[in-house]
Amino acid sequence: MSPAFTVLVPARLASTRLPNKPLADIAGLPMVVRVAQRAAASGAVRVVVAADSPAILEACAAHGVQAVLTRADHPSGSDRLAEACSLLGLDGDDCVVNVQGDEPLIDPALVRRCAELLAERPDCVMSTAAHPLHERADYLNPNVVKVVLDAAGRALYFSRAPIPWWRDGLQDGKPALPQPAPLRHLGLYGYRAGFLRRFPLLQAAPLEHTEALEQLRVLWHGERIAVHVAAQGPGPGVDTPEDLARVRALFSTGEAAA
């Protein structure tokens, strides 16, 4: 039986690359509503949008999606989620899964697995997901975040650099993909609510600033993150107008069915 868990969907109206992104229309529904519907199929006891704008609250209410209004000046998504936990009375070992508001094709089974993994791992304060990389270009791309694991399936390190580095591996004079395949980190997180509420109060890690990866703060403070390795990655997220057009096309052809 899957554990009881809440999905929180942070939704921020301001976006430099795609203004009003949460409200972008996808096959007749705002994107944030599409995300919430997808997350609800995971079996979560509730799905709540953590919004920074009344306009997002109104869009959610119009389609029967629960939402709470958080401060507009949060420096990070984690701060917004921590406030949402306080507003909802979530604390202690309550399980919260963070599904980004620009992932209308997120796999509900992957969301559920993050919650299950956290319940299975009392030694960890967080869970997340990754999948094997099979393209060298992705391995070398700093916009593709990689993760390496210990023997117990916990994150050792996250990086934008190609890790692990195959010292003796070259292909056409360039770095070759190591074997077994390196892992791409997916921005999906399960949290114990008590830790999530405490996280924004922790000192930021120097490594976090260097890599621009907030999850490194968790490891720097000696906490552990369990990692589920999925067979493949999720559908595309939406960061740009081109991404939005791609996702709209998938919905129009029915390829986006959960």
Side-chain angles (χ1 to χ4, degrees):
M1 178 183 295
S2 294
F5 65 98
T6 296
V7 171
L8 293 181
V9 181
R12 182 170 164 267
L13 203 59
S15 173
T16 55
R17 287 185 288 181
L18 188 59
N20 298 326
K21 182 164 66 170
L23 303 181
D25 182 272
I26 297 179
L29 291 175
M31 178 163 61
V32 69
V33 172
R34 289 286 182 193
V35 174
Q37 291 177 340
R38 197 85 166 187
S42 69
V45 294
R46 61 179 167 179
V47 176
V48 184
V49 172
D52 73 341
S53 164
I56 298 175
L57 256 66
E58 293 169 8
C60 289
H63 298 284
V65 173
Q66 184 180 356
V68 293
L69 184 62
T70 59
R71 286 169 33 201
D73 60 348
H74 281 305
S76 72
S78 298
D79 293 87
R80 191 173 311 286
L81 293 175
E83 183 186 356
C85 282
S86 297
L87 293 171
L88 296 169
L90 295 168
D91 205 350
D93 282 335
D94 291 341
C95 180
V96 174
V97 179
N98 170 19
V99 175
Q100 296 300 320
D102 55 7
E103 295 282 349
L105 296 175
I106 190 71
D107 182 358
L110 191 58
V111 176
R112 182 172 61 252
R113 183 59 195 139
C114 269
E116 292 170 343
L117 181 58
L118 189 62
E120 294 165 4
R121 298 301 298 264
D123 58 317
C124 298
V125 296
M126 286 175 59
S127 61
T128 190
H131 71 89
L133 279 174
H134 300 294
E135 298 294 333
R136 186 171 60 176
D138 290 333
Y139 174 60
L140 299 176
N141 186 347
N143 293 315
V144 174
V145 178
K146 277 71 69 174
V147 60
V148 290
L149 312 183
D150 68 10
R154 298 173 302 214
L156 280 172
Y157 192 64
F158 299 86
S159 183
R160 298 181 182 279
I163 58 171
W165 181 266
W166 189 4
R167 187 194 66 173
D168 299 321
L170 288 176
Q171 181 179 345
D172 302 326
K174 297 180 181 179
L177 276 174
Q179 295 298 326
L183 297 175
R184 177 183 188 173
H185 176 235
L186 303 175
L188 176 69
Y189 298 101
Y191 296 87
R192 301 193 192 283
F195 175 75
L196 177 54
R197 292 176 68 161
R198 182 165 59 91
F199 177 78
L201 305 178
L202 296 176
Q203 179 185 352
L207 292 170
E208 169 187 352
H209 292 304
T210 300
E211 295 262 19
L213 295 174
E214 193 180 47
Q215 64 268 35
L216 289 173
R217 189 186 313 179
V218 182
L219 304 183
W220 193 70
H221 283 279
E223 300 288 1
R224 291 170 169 171
I225 302 175
V227 182
H228 166 66
V229 179
Q232 59 187 23
V238 177
D239 287 319
T240 66
E242 293 76 18
D243 295 335
L244 180 59
R246 187 181 308 115
V247 169
R248 282 171 168 165
L250 291 172
F251 272 89
S252 69
T253 60
E255 294 181 48

